Amino acid sequence: MAYYDEQLQLLQQQTMQKKRKESKLKELYTQHEVLSTRADELRKSKLDAQADVEHLEGRSLTAFFYAVIGKKDEKLNKEREEAYAARVKYDVIARELFAVEEDIRHNETELIQLRGCEQQYEKMLKDKADAIKAIGSQEAVKIFRTEERITYLENQMNEIKEALIAGETALSITNRILASLGSAEGWGTWDLLGGGLLTDMAKHGHLDEAQKQVEYLQVQLHRFKTELTDITIHADMQVSIDSFLCFADYFFDGLFADWAVLDKIKQSQTQVQNIKSQIESVLNRLTSMFNSVAKELEGEKAGLNDLIIRTNMKK
């Protein structure tokens, strides 16, 4: 009977995992559709911006006009900045799209391995129910229901734990971005005091690192959003989570041309701090949920032990 119960609990876990994978895939397919559309838009923007640069660098009438009025270098620099920003935005979305496609393949593979578990679970569940009816013991029914609840709570804890890990990873990336921006701000201040080429290079080196970490963060925010699928949270939290997915866009908008200016670096710090606060809010809610489920699980297990002891004593 013990082996029979273990198999039933295993199939129950697999059935819940299957439903979880299906929900994740639904969310991932939605993300993929949105990202694909956005990638097409940014690809076009990147090509258009690069074409503008090449147009000014070539033998066009526009290039001749700006050369005559003495503003060709100024106009060319602006176009190059816009082309660079467009390329970076496209690279970010391309990385996100690739990561989502990888997650889709991973979940589809795991879903194939879980095929048929629901039917097996239903059959074994019916067999167990019939066996309990034949015994006619109320204690056996209570034990059976309690074991079901324990398996459900354990699965729920695992889901929340996975979401917590994803969120904490995103949080650690925001800390790295803030550290890079803080260093860039320090070098920027020194640069204003006449630091020269070396301080300017150091400042931009930290800004490059911040840019790279923002790309990582955007991918991780999508994964955090996916892990939160089917986990019930407050409506205002859901709004915050949805805003995660636009982070890279507003972080990079209008930033490249003015990164040498300290107030732009400070503005970027504020943006990252805001997304960090949103992540922390969701993590706090998840931690509270995890502790609540853990407490209920502890109570159910204690109740199960009591049922088993009392049942054995009656025998």
Side-chain angles (χ1 to χ4, degrees), residues 285-300:
R285 177 61 181 155
L286 287 172
T287 301
S288 176
M289 291 172 65
F290 183 87
N291 292 336
S292 177
V293 174
K295 185 176 180 180
E296 184 181 351
L297 179 60
E298 184 180 355
E300 291 289 347

Side-chain angles (χ1 to χ4, degrees), residues 169-196:
T169 301
L171 188 64
S172 68
I173 297 174
T174 63
N175 288 328
R176 291 201 291 272
I177 296 170
L178 287 171
S180 295
L181 290 175
S183 297
E185 182 184 16
W187 284 106
T189 302
W190 183 249
D191 194 26
L192 286 178
L193 298 174

Side-chain angles (χ1 to χ4, degrees), residues 227-242:
E227 290 298 338
L228 288 168
T229 305
D230 284 351
I231 296 177
T232 304
I233 55 176
H234 292 316
D236 58 338
M237 292 294 184
Q238 190 64 50
V239 172
S240 296
I241 294 161
D242 289 339

Side-chain angles (χ1 to χ4, degrees), residues 128-137:
K128 179 71 178 284
D130 291 341
I132 290 173
K133 287 178 184 177
I135 296 172
S137 167

Side-chain angles (χ1 to χ4, degrees), residues 62-77:
T62 303
F64 176 74
F65 170 75
Y66 279 108
V68 168
I69 64 175
K71 292 190 175 182
K72 182 177 179 180
D73 287 343
E74 179 185 337
K75 179 66 174 174
L76 191 55
N77 283 338

Side-chain angles (χ1 to χ4, degrees), residues 249-265:
D249 268 359
Y250 64 70
F251 182 85
F252 288 125
D253 270 340
L255 197 60
F256 296 96
D258 298 307
W259 253 5
V261 183
L262 281 176
D263 64 347
K264 286 295 181 180
I265 295 176

